[in-house]
Amino acid sequence: MAEVILGLLACAVLGCLAVTAYLSWSYSPRLTIAGAGLLSLFLAYGGWRTVRAPGTGRRRGLAAVAAAGFTMAAMTALFVLLYGTGGGDV
C-alpha cells in the first residue's frame, strides 16, 4: 500500500513540475529560460559546495542555502525517478 502512495505522490510531483513549466512558458518564454538558467547556476554552485572538501568551520549564507537546495533537488529527482517510473518495485 505504501508503494502505491509513494508512486502516486511521485507522479503528482512530476505533474506539478510539468504544469509549472507549461504555465511559466506560456506567460514568458524568455523569463522561463532566464529563470531556468539561474536555477541551474544556483544548483550547480550548491553541488560544487556539497562535493567540495569542506574547509574549516561550517558553511554559511549563500553556500549553505545552495547546498541545501542542491540536496533537496537531488533527493526529489531520485524520488521521482524511483517511484514515478515504478523502479521502486523490488
Side-chain angles (χ1 to χ4, degrees), residues 49-78:
R49 295 298 279 183
T50 300
V51 186
R52 185 173 167 239
T56 59
R58 294 177 33 192
R59 291 185 192 99
R60 296 185 186 181
L62 181 63
V65 173
F70 171 77
T71 303
M72 287 184 56
M75 291 182 72
T76 302
L78 185 65

Side-chain angles (χ1 to χ4, degrees), residues 3-82:
E3 297 289 328
V4 172
I5 293 172
L6 287 173
L8 289 174
L9 183 63
C11 288
V13 167
L14 191 58
C16 286
L17 289 173
V19 167
T20 301
Y22 172 75
L23 291 176
S24 176
W25 186 264
S26 66
Y27 177 71
S28 173
R30 288 182 183 168
L31 191 60
T32 302
I33 291 173
L38 287 175
L39 182 63
S40 297
L41 284 174
F42 179 74
L43 291 176
Y45 176 68
W48 178 69
R49 295 298 279 183
T50 300
V51 186
R52 185 173 167 239
T56 59
R58 294 177 33 192
R59 291 185 192 99
R60 296 185 186 181
L62 181 63
V65 173
F70 171 77
T71 303
M72 287 184 56
M75 291 182 72
T76 302
L78 185 65
F79 172 72
V80 169
L81 179 69
L82 289 178

